[in-house]
Amino acid sequence: MSQIYSGVKAAVIGCGGAGRGHAAKAKSLGIELVGFCDEIEAKAESARAEFGGRYATPDAGRIMRDDSIDLLVIATHHDAHHPIALAGARAGKHILLEKPMCVTRVQAIEVAEAVEKAGVKLVINCKFRIAPTAQKARALLSRPRLSHGQLAMNDSSQSGSTWVWHPDDGGGLLISTAVHTIDLLAYLMDSEPDRVYAEGQVFGENKGAGGYPDALVGTILWKTGALSTVISADQGMNTFVSKWFHEVWDGQRSAVFSAHMGRVDFGGCDIDYLDTRELPDEEQQQASMMVNLLEAIRTDGDTLCNAHDGVRTVSICNALDEAVRTGKPQTVPN
Ligand SMILES: NC(=O)c1ccc[n+]([C@@H]2O[C@H](COP(=O)([O-])OP(=O)(O)OC[C@H]3O[C@@H](n4cnc5c(N)ncnc54)[C@H](O)[C@@H]3O)[C@@H](O)[C@H]2O)c1
């Protein structure tokens, strides 16, 4: 596989945990890592030293002006996703953009328009939808009627990523982290959203920065008439329930996801369960948004989580937040 992609040249912008993870994946696929950028130059240099590359820089503009670079990995804090993705698309680079696509719907639409105009490929790393468990459930349950998605704990305080709570650089827990759940529900329900409602609560523990709720419980009515419930909360680690939990029903069949999307148990289907950890290594490694982007570039096809998907997911998150803020149900713009 690495031979297929060996002509691709990439840069990583945002050299923290996620950026370095993508650099390792890119290297394993034979991609040449040309440049590393971080506003903290030492982090860019440390990544360059680890993965190789021609230069490290604190200036994203240098990466944009480098015509040798085909592909950008953007793994910065969330406030920088919009300006950097916009500049990347305008510079004609293909983009792997970490979630969330942007913090606001207006920003996401601007990026989507720039991507379309430039004719570049964009994948957003809402990676739950590429998990073999999600792929199987989507194949077995067509247009579910009901679903539930839940993030009920988060290790941001342990990992040091407390910035996700910040209204400015993170945007709060929903858009920062539970965005994975919203995106998965949109994918599995296979519908545009219609209306949402939510209640939020600040339980304290110094997490809901700036009054942002550290617990949000919401509903989504889809255009198909289907319904979802959502929990986005940080209630500390829990040894009994996975950090993530999702359930889907279509009236006859059901799917229950656990083990960080690693396992799905089916009811009413020909198979009882799928556990990703039992799959061959190569199959597990293929379930990657970077591979998906590279295949979209190679075949001139679409990515699994494209600009439209990103705009929709950000729009749902923004509408849920607005419902909490106003105490009123919100129609989600399409
Ligand atoms: N898809 C996933 O499962 C997953 C998992 C973890 C993180 N993420 C995402 O990856 C991104 C980065 O998260 P992280 O955990 O690596 O955070 P991090 O704090 O470890 O790294 C982010 C890096 O970006 C740099 N940065 C911030 N603003 C910048 C700018 N304007 N220009 C250049 N560099 C800038 C910071 O200095 C930092 O080094 C976020 O979007 C996060 O949500 C996704």
Side-chain angles (χ1 to χ4, degrees):
M1 159 142 18
S2 59
Q3 279 162 352
I4 305 178
Y5 307 124
S6 59
V8 179
K9 293 187 171 59
V12 177
I13 306 183
C15 300
R20 294 176 92 104
H22 289 302
K25 179 76 183 179
K27 207 168 172 186
S28 77
L29 292 167
I31 294 174
E32 183 185 340
L33 290 158
V34 174
F36 290 87
C37 171
D38 198 291
E39 63 182 6
I40 301 172
E41 193 168 4
K43 291 180 85 168
E45 176 48 36
S46 143
R48 193 206 60 77
E50 180 174 347
F51 299 104
R54 281 191 236 135
Y55 58 91
T57 175
D59 174 19
R62 179 167 174 198
I63 304 278
M64 304 306 169
R65 292 187 297 273
D66 185 339
D67 289 337
S68 76
I69 292 168
D70 314 299
L71 187 158
L72 298 182
V73 170
I74 303 174
T76 60
H77 293 183
H78 303 157
D79 58 335
H81 287 193
H82 169 248
I84 295 176
L86 208 53
R90 287 175 179 162
K93 319 277 189 212
H94 302 297
I95 301 171
L96 186 155
L97 177 57
E98 261 302 348
K99 55 77 187 167
M101 179 179 183
C102 292
V103 178
T104 70
R105 170 180 162 82
V106 170
Q107 294 172 341
I109 289 172
E110 272 180 36
V111 170
E113 286 172 354
V115 162
E116 164 123 35
K117 191 167 173 205
V120 294
K121 308 289 180 193
L122 167 75
V123 75
I124 297 145
N125 195 28
C126 278
K127 63 187 182 188
F128 284 4
R129 59 169 69 198
I130 205 168
T133 49
Q135 292 290 310
K136 190 56 134 184
R138 180 148 149 143
L140 293 178
L141 283 79
S142 57
R143 289 266 164 106
R145 293 175 181 173
L146 282 173
S147 60
H148 170 68
Q150 160 178 326
L151 162 70
M153 59 190 182
N154 189 38
D155 52 8
S156 58
S157 46
Q158 289 174 18
S159 68
S161 296
T162 46
W163 57 268
V164 302
W165 289 103
H166 236 266
D168 293 338
D169 50 354
L173 188 67
L174 181 69
I175 194 80
S176 287
T177 309
V179 68
H180 277 303
T181 280
I182 303 297
D183 183 75
L184 179 69
L185 292 178
Y187 182 63
L188 293 175
M189 302 310 276
D190 195 13
S191 172
E192 297 301 319
D194 184 349
R195 205 167 57 235
V196 303
Y197 185 59
E199 294 279 359
Q201 201 64 270
V202 181
F203 286 123
E205 293 130 24
N206 200 24
K207 285 173 182 156
Y212 186 86
D214 60 18
L216 178 149
V217 177
T219 56
I220 305 170
L221 169 65
W222 303 92
K223 287 260 163 89
T224 53
L227 283 168
S228 299
T229 55
V230 179
I231 292 178
S232 165
D234 184 344
Q235 291 300 293
M237 300 309 279
N238 178 322
T239 50
F240 302 104
V241 180
S242 157
K243 174 177 175 179
W244 303 99
F245 181 68
H246 300 90
E247 295 180 280
V248 185
W249 297 265
D250 73 356
Q252 290 173 318
R253 291 160 289 247
S254 61
V256 179
F257 300 86
S258 57
H260 218 103
M261 291 301 290
R263 182 180 171 100
V264 57
D265 287 272
F266 292 107
C269 298
D270 288 342
I271 63 165
D272 292 333
Y273 78 98
L274 175 72
D275 195 314
T276 308
R277 294 157 294 188
E278 294 172 3
L279 296 175
D281 280 355
E282 197 178 339
E283 215 172 307
Q284 294 184 39
Q285 281 154 22
Q286 282 285 108
S288 135
M289 287 302 196
M290 184 168 295
V291 174
N292 185 260
L293 173 63
L294 291 164
E295 280 301 294
I297 296 167
R298 191 175 69 83
T299 61
D300 195 20
D302 203 359
T303 62
L304 186 63
C305 194
N306 62 21
H308 173 81
D309 298 314
V311 171
R312 175 173 54 189
T313 292
V314 172
S315 302
I316 297 171
C317 291
N318 285 179
L320 284 164
D321 277 338
E322 190 62 7
V324 171
R325 203 182 62 76
T326 60
K328 295 195 174 106
Q330 301 290 314
T331 298
V332 186
N334 289 146

